[in-house]
Amino acid sequence: MDMWDDDTRYAVIRGRDARYDGQFFTAVLTTGIYCRPSCPARTPARQNVRFYRTSAAAQSAGFRSCRRCRPEAVPGSPDWDASGDVAARAMRLIDDGVVDRDGVEGLSARLGYSSRQLQRILVDELGAPPLALATAHRLHSARALLEHTDLPVTQVALTAGFGSVRQFNDAARRAWGLSPSQVREGRRSRRGAVGPQDDAGTVTVDLRLGTREPFDGARALGFLAARAIEGVERVEPGTAHTRTMRLHHGPARARLAPDATGVHVRLELADPRDLGSAVARCRALLDLDADPVAVAEALSRSEALAPHVATAPGLRVPGSVDRFEAMMRAIVGQQVSVVGARRTLSLLAERWGERVALEGEADGDGAAGAGAAAAQGDVARSAPDARPTLLLPTAEALLDVDPEGGLMPASRWRALLGVARAVVDGEIDTSLGADRAEVRSRLLALPGIGPWTVEYVMLRGYGDPDAFPGTDLVLRREIGGEAKDVSPTAESWRPWRAYAAQHLWTANAEGRRS
């Protein structure tokens, strides 16, 4: 469907089609509000409607958000994942809080443009300048803090990135038609509401993350569970996935419990300024901004894939909360089983990772003592009350490691340390605004890094929906034939080859054959 044709967009809002929530926004001239496409309110007359690609563009044009459909809470546009252009890269960085930390100048520098050039690109592509897009992001974080924590309004304003309470009040009234205090007073009552912060300075936030249906959260959990790293991740089979994260201002822990229409998330943040970044990483981990209907329509045309799509129409491609972590997973997983890779990654975390202290937990010195717990067996599964407390080592930490015999072959160690060095030196960009094509070429130029590793990193770490590790043994087996690289067979599956790979991996794991 051509989402740039206004008549088509109007047909979508008349049908209240939730598939397009987040892909465009509808503003109503007579009421001064903007809505998501599926808003249940009466459809306005065609001549009274204007369409915007982002909520920030609608806000910049003077419209406030609909209190009935809450358009600011919709899933993100799948365009930001599918596209590698400057606008998409800028949106990913804004969602990660770059403007809040480094300003518009910092955002422009990361993308290699002047502030004026970037403003022109974003206004042309998205209908709003970078500061307006950042303000919309700040308001989204602020509303979550108002509704789901007891942080004082002043702290909410500063935490969300506003320069003052007055600036926050003005932005909130323009966008919501409500003051922050009114939002706080009107929030739904919650059980067990947490205080502003506990003794350790941790803020706990319970959120509901939406997604487009159908959503196969159970299979996403199963994929993550099979690859869960002891001490870093905890599995509640069929129920939830909990893991640690390293964010810009400190560590965090997230518990994700998906159902048919979205995900309940509990975030424990060492610093509430990381709320937006944490939410972006949780969405990437479960691929919540995907367009499953578009994927299913495209892949169902393949005789080989159609039965798998029919079996799992809402299948997602689980991502990663950290791009260097995705590189570690790919390199450690070269030519070994999933179980073997997981065991090695658990040892890496145990020996060279960091321990996080959240909710009053005793602060540790590195990962000391984790080995004793891990030695008792699969802690993530056998101790339901145990919470993950380890972070995987950073690229910097690995550069200080003297590779030990037995953990991995020497060639794999060299490949891992080579990538770590390239990340530390800035040769490989692990930010959310990275140019995927450039990352691909630079990874391939490193010793010990081949096409399978690069494509797996792009698929899970960089969220590329068209990544495809064509030399993968399981994919070769599922597709059949004698070819050592089945990428040519997958050409007709563009631009959704990552989803095709996920369907084939899932079918193999479940004993279904193409």
Side-chain angles (χ1 to χ4, degrees):
M1 180 178 291
D2 180 7
M3 296 316 303
W4 304 118
D5 179 273
D6 283 355
D7 289 334
T8 301
R9 286 168 162 164
Y10 189 70
V12 168
I13 68 170
R14 289 185 64 185
R16 297 179 173 84
D17 196 332
R19 289 182 299 168
Y20 299 104
D21 285 355
Q23 300 193 42
F24 69 89
F25 297 85
T26 304
V28 185
L29 299 176
T30 52
T31 62
I33 66 171
Y34 73 94
C35 303
R36 61 173 77 192
S38 65
C39 182
R42 183 172 62 87
T43 304
R46 174 68 183 84
Q47 66 269 21
N48 294 331
V49 171
R50 297 291 183 272
F51 298 105
Y52 295 94
R53 189 161 183 204
T54 63
S55 61
Q59 291 171 15
S60 295
F63 296 92
R64 66 181 187 276
S65 64
C66 174
R67 299 180 192 175
R68 187 171 181 182
C69 73
R70 294 283 301 276
E72 71 276 10
V74 299
S77 171
D79 289 348
W80 313 148
D81 292 330
S83 176
D85 63 17
V86 174
R89 291 164 58 202
M91 285 299 295
R92 291 195 289 267
L93 285 171
I94 290 170
D95 285 346
D96 197 42
V98 166
V99 175
D100 300 332
R101 295 189 300 275
D102 304 326
V104 173
E105 294 76 14
L107 173 67
S108 303
R110 284 176 180 249
L111 295 170
Y113 290 84
S114 70
S115 297
R116 174 179 285 186
Q117 287 174 317
L118 182 62
Q119 173 147 325
R120 185 170 62 250
I121 290 170
L122 295 185
V123 169
D124 289 346
E125 291 290 324
L126 306 179
L131 191 57
L133 294 164
T135 298
H137 169 75
R138 290 168 184 162
L139 286 168
H140 186 74
S141 295
R143 188 147 193 168
L145 291 170
L146 288 170
E147 294 183 338
H148 300 286
T149 77
D150 292 327
L151 289 175
V153 171
T154 299
Q155 189 173 352
V156 168
L158 300 178
T159 295
F162 290 97
S164 67
V165 175
R166 181 175 180 178
Q167 185 186 68
F168 177 32
N169 273 309
D170 291 345
R173 288 184 181 277
R174 285 195 301 270
W176 305 333
L178 296 168
S179 70
S181 296
Q182 288 174 311
V183 172
R184 170 62 58 80
E185 291 166 2
R187 67 184 178 180
R188 297 185 299 272
S189 61
R190 309 184 314 280
R191 292 184 179 178
V194 298
Q197 290 179 303
D198 61 25
D199 292 339
T202 302
V203 172
T204 301
V205 186
D206 291 297
L207 297 172
R208 171 77 178 173
L209 302 184
T211 190
R212 296 179 181 85
E213 298 177 44
F215 173 52
D216 196 338
R219 283 188 169 91
L221 280 186
F223 183 90
L224 294 174
R227 293 155 180 82
I229 302 170
E230 291 177 17
V232 176
E233 298 167 286
R234 171 193 164 206
V235 175
E236 297 170 60
T239 302
H241 184 84
T242 304
R243 66 155 299 143
T244 57
M245 296 186 287
R246 179 182 285 105
L247 301 175
H248 301 288
H249 299 99
R253 185 163 44 220
R255 180 183 185 272
L256 301 97
D259 55 37
T261 61
V263 182
H264 291 283
V265 179
R266 166 160 285 200
L267 292 170
E268 300 166 54
L269 303 168
D271 191 317
R273 289 177 294 174
D274 283 324
L275 174 62
S277 295
V279 168
R281 282 159 172 73
C282 289
R283 298 193 69 85
L285 185 64
L286 293 179
D287 195 17
L288 297 183
D289 293 330
D291 185 347
V293 174
V295 172
E297 287 177 351
L299 298 186
S300 292
R301 301 187 190 109
S302 164
E303 184 177 343
L305 295 176
H308 301 320
V309 174
T311 300
L315 192 70
R316 296 301 204 264
V317 178
S320 175
V321 301
D322 183 278
R323 289 179 164 179
F324 182 64
E325 175 183 316
M327 295 175 191
M328 280 193 285
R329 287 181 183 270
I331 294 168
V332 170
Q334 290 174 349
Q335 300 179 336
V336 298
S337 67
V338 170
V339 174
R342 182 180 161 208
R343 185 182 303 117
T344 300
L345 288 163
S346 297
L347 289 171
L348 282 171
E350 171 195 330
R351 296 180 186 179
W352 299 292
E354 303 170 46
R355 187 175 297 282
V356 302
L358 295 165
E359 284 197 342
E361 297 159 353
D363 198 1
D365 183 9
Q376 300 301 317
D378 191 344
V379 177
R381 286 164 169 72
S382 62
D385 293 330
R387 290 174 297 178
T389 59
L390 289 175
L391 291 165
L392 280 166
T394 62
E396 292 85 352
L398 286 179
L399 293 182
D400 295 329
V401 169
D402 182 14
E404 300 180 9
L407 188 59
M408 286 190 297
S411 59
R412 206 165 299 153
W413 263 118
R414 287 194 295 270
L416 179 58
L417 296 181
V419 168
R421 170 54 65 190
V423 168
V424 171
D425 291 347
E427 296 177 12
I428 293 179
D429 187 355
T430 58
S431 77
L432 295 189
D435 184 319
R436 290 171 181 159
E438 184 175 301
V439 172
R440 266 190 169 93
S441 64
R442 294 193 176 193
L443 277 174
L444 275 173
L446 295 175
I449 304 299
W452 180 91
T453 301
V454 171
E455 291 303 302
Y456 191 82
V457 167
M458 302 311 296
L459 184 149
R460 289 207 62 193
Y462 285 76
D464 185 351
D466 200 38
F468 190 79
T471 59
D472 183 83
L473 182 61
V474 172
L475 297 182
R476 289 165 53 196
R477 184 185 304 132
E478 288 296 311
I479 291 174
E482 301 298 324
K484 293 184 178 180
D485 186 346
V486 292
S487 297
T489 303
E491 279 298 307
S492 62
W493 301 338
R494 289 183 182 273
W496 308 114
R497 294 186 303 168
Y499 292 89
Q502 193 69 32
H503 272 292
L504 294 172
W505 283 330
T506 302
N508 179 268
E510 296 176 358
R512 293 182 279 111
R513 297 304 304 271
S514 301

